[in-house]
Amino acid sequence: MHLTDRIQQIVVTLSYLACLVGSMIGVGVFGGTPIASAAGGALASDATLLAPASAAFSIWTVVYAGLAGYTVLQWFPTPASADRQRSLRLPVAGTMLLNAAWILVVQAGWLWVSVAVIAVLLALLSRVLVILMRTRASGMLDRLFLDGALGVYLGWVCVATAANVAAALTSSGFDGAGIDPNWWAVAALVAVGGVGIALAVRSKGRVAVAAAIAWGLAWIAVARWDGAPHSVPTAVAAGAAAVVVLGVALSLRVRAATSAARA
């Protein structure tokens, strides 16, 4: 074990603890304002057309549990996974610190700063995906806590970024510039769906990423169909995008498995 590895393991662990404390602040445990109520309620489920229903945020339980598993696992790399872990530790630690930073800036009401933070978070998670694709999982735990959990993290942040931008625009008084807000929402959902398809193709059908994107989109559809603000075009576009993203990823995965079986 190199000294550099030990330092990185400590950095990851401290970053996870910061992330966990941030999440507790975000749900009001340590006296912070819950995210749905922070920044004047700009990120509440009824604040914009791109806000997912509140049930969607239960995915954070999966993300935080996955990050906990990753934090423990990275202390015990096998020889086969050592290089992979070495490449991932600092980028993943960075995503956890950015996660905590996002919560703090939202608590402060700085929505446009939160957009910048989540954009950097999305870029860093995309870098994590590249590392995952270039390296091989060494076992079931590796696939679960690295490929699986980090994939879910990326997929959810793709949807959260769109919702965050919509919240910042709405709070700034943007009213569509003469275009019906429903069509702005549809265009944004098409863009999110396009990103989801691109990630599925680029990653050869990584289901964890696509499933998290589909989850977020599906809950946007539910929120716009059953709740306020009601928007049939947004609900239909979100539901269709969810189906297409997940369908493309699954088809690519099946195709890859079929090709491997024939080889």
Side-chain angles (χ1 to χ4, degrees):
M1 172 68 69
H2 299 295
L3 177 60
T4 300
D5 288 327
R6 185 67 72 202
I7 292 172
Q8 289 180 350
Q9 288 167 331
I10 293 171
V11 168
V12 169
T13 303
L14 293 176
S15 297
Y16 177 71
L17 292 175
C19 182
L20 192 61
V21 170
S23 74
M24 294 299 99
I25 293 173
V27 297
V29 172
F30 295 145
T33 305
I35 293 298
S37 303
L43 293 163
S45 60
D46 59 355
T48 72
L49 291 175
L50 295 184
S54 57
F57 298 94
S58 62
I59 197 172
W60 278 115
T61 302
V62 176
V63 173
Y64 286 122
L67 290 174
Y70 165 78
T71 300
V72 173
L73 186 65
Q74 58 97 30
W75 278 94
F76 306 100
T78 64
S81 67
D83 288 342
R84 192 181 212 216
Q85 290 282 14
R86 194 170 293 120
S87 298
L88 282 168
R89 285 192 187 104
L90 294 184
V92 174
T95 71
M96 292 191 283
L97 293 175
L98 285 166
N99 193 339
W102 183 87
I103 291 171
L104 293 177
V105 297
V106 169
Q107 293 278 323
W110 302 337
L111 280 177
W112 282 110
V113 176
S114 76
V115 169
V117 172
I118 202 169
V120 177
L121 173 58
L122 180 59
L124 195 52
L125 282 168
S126 299
R127 173 59 184 164
V128 167
L129 178 63
V130 171
I131 296 171
L132 291 173
M133 291 188 300
R134 290 178 177 173
T135 55
R136 184 180 296 275
S138 64
M140 183 184 69
L141 291 178
D142 221 32
R143 287 190 290 271
L144 178 63
F145 291 120
L146 277 70
D147 299 89
L150 297 176
V152 169
Y153 192 7
L154 169 60
W156 171 251
V157 170
C158 286
V159 178
T161 300
N164 199 165
V165 171
L169 286 169
T170 300
S171 69
S172 298
F174 180 71
D175 61 1
I179 300 174
D180 190 326
N182 288 290
W183 302 121
W184 278 110
V186 169
L189 291 166
V190 169
V192 173
V195 169
I197 292 170
L199 288 172
V201 172
R202 181 71 178 83
S203 68
K204 298 181 180 179
R206 285 181 179 257
V207 176
V209 180
I213 292 175
W215 170 270
L217 290 170
W219 282 109
I220 291 174
V222 170
R224 299 292 72 79
W225 190 268
D226 285 338
H230 180 70
S231 171
V232 172
T234 304
V236 171
V243 170
V244 170
V245 169
L246 191 56
V248 168
L250 289 173
S251 66
L252 288 168
R253 178 60 67 185
V254 169
R255 185 182 303 174
T258 302
S259 298
R262 289 176 178 172

